[in-house]
Amino acid sequence: DADVTQTPRNRITKTGKRIMLECSQTKGHDRMYWYRQDPGLGLRLIYYSFDVKDINKGEISDGYSVSRQAQAKFSLSLESAIPNQTALYFCATSLSYNEQFFGPGTRLTVL
Amino acid sequence: AQKITQTQPGMFVQEKEAVTLDCTYDTSDQSYGLFWYKQPSSGEMIFLIYQGSYDEQNATEGRYSLNFQKARKSANLVISASQLGDSAMYFCAMRELADSWGKLQFGAGTQVVVTP
């Protein structure tokens, strides 16, 4: 079984809809991250959490919110999706400074 | 300001040849780490290699090696004996102690195509 899972893997939604992307990990890592990837760009950080009680905004947090329900779960929500939020979304985890493990990604299309 | 710069948008390399992917970085932190990831067309991010700023030896992992030139703030990835399966997007990324070893900051990537 994969250590970092993301659901759904693909999602098509309409402008204005609320959508939640979920991330679960079995690695026991405290640190979890949400990144976004647009074509031609590297990954950019949306939100990150160093533990259940610690959540921080990344460089592109506008239009997104997160919830850290447990050490193993970190969800990303788009309260009112818009077309320019169409992207590939990655969840990641890490325990120490020299590693960061990524989930398989969620392809989100907002029509 | 861009912290990671990858100047090669795309490269072609012949099978069995070596290829060097350029990465320069910008930081005032003394403690940082540099990562390389591979992203095949299927989309997943695959960790390749890590180099710490205090590591004296260049990192190597199988066919991957990192040419770390600290004074030039350069961390180039060398793939030896290229294989068709090496065709992918390659990303350089950095993590800084000043950021509590938090987020990775990524470059824009280099698309590598390996030809027979």
Side-chain angles (χ1 to χ4, degrees):
Chain A
D1 287 340
D3 295 319
V4 184
T5 58
Q6 293 183 232
T7 55
R9 294 294 312 280
N10 290 281
R11 181 73 183 266
I12 300 173
T13 192
K14 294 183 178 180
T15 297
K17 294 290 188 182
R18 185 180 188 273
I19 183 169
M20 179 181 288
L21 308 183
E22 298 187 341
C23 176
S24 294
Q25 51 119 344
T26 59
K27 301 181 81 67
H29 292 171
D30 285 328
R31 297 183 173 204
M32 298 187 73
Y33 308 79
W34 276 104
Y35 292 88
R36 165 182 171 158
Q37 184 181 22
D38 296 282
L41 297 176
L43 280 66
R44 293 181 291 165
L45 184 68
I46 307 172
Y47 270 95
Y48 61 107
S49 169
F50 282 0
D51 64 42
V52 175
K53 296 181 180 178
D54 177 69
I55 292 179
N56 306 278
K57 292 183 177 181
E59 59 182 307
I60 54 165
S61 59
D62 287 349
Y64 301 94
S65 63
V66 291
S67 171
R68 184 83 184 264
Q69 301 96 324
Q71 185 199 42
K73 295 184 182 296
F74 192 35
S75 300
L76 177 72
S77 293
L78 288 68
E79 296 301 325
S80 180
I82 57 176
N84 76 0
Q85 290 178 314
T86 293
L88 181 58
Y89 290 85
F90 286 101
C91 174
T93 75
S94 72
L95 182 62
S96 66
Y97 63 91
N98 62 347
E99 62 182 20
Q100 190 153 125
F101 299 97
F102 285 82
T106 294
R107 290 192 183 275
L108 176 65
T109 302
V110 183
L111 301 175
Chain B
Q2 188 73 15
K3 291 250 185 177
I4 299 288
T5 302
Q6 295 180 251
T7 57
Q8 307 150 309
M11 299 183 72
F12 286 92
V13 59
Q14 205 150 20
E15 202 175 5
K16 300 180 185 177
E17 297 289 313
V19 60
T20 298
L21 308 184
D22 295 339
C23 173
T24 57
Y25 57 92
D26 181 26
T27 181
S28 56
D29 204 333
Q30 295 301 308
S31 296
Y32 54 89
L34 297 155
F35 298 72
W36 277 92
Y37 285 86
K38 172 184 178 181
Q39 186 178 41
S41 58
S42 52
E44 69 267 33
M45 294 291 287
I46 302 168
F47 169 75
L48 296 177
I49 197 166
Y50 170 83
Q51 178 85 42
S53 60
Y54 290 114
D55 294 342
E56 294 185 354
Q57 303 278 350
N58 285 341
T60 61
E61 290 286 349
R63 294 186 299 110
Y64 304 107
S65 60
L66 203 150
N67 182 2
F68 182 48
Q69 299 185 48
K70 193 170 181 177
R72 298 180 62 183
K73 294 188 175 178
S74 167
N76 298 340
L77 177 71
V78 180
I79 306 174
S80 62
S82 295
Q83 302 171 357
L84 295 178
D86 293 334
S87 293
M89 195 76 164
Y90 289 81
F91 291 98
C92 179
M94 178 176 66
R95 204 176 202 180
E96 298 170 285
L97 173 60
D99 190 38
S100 300
W101 298 114
K103 63 182 180 290
L104 287 175
Q105 300 172 80
F106 283 83
T110 296
Q111 181 73 50
V112 172
V113 176
V114 181
T115 59

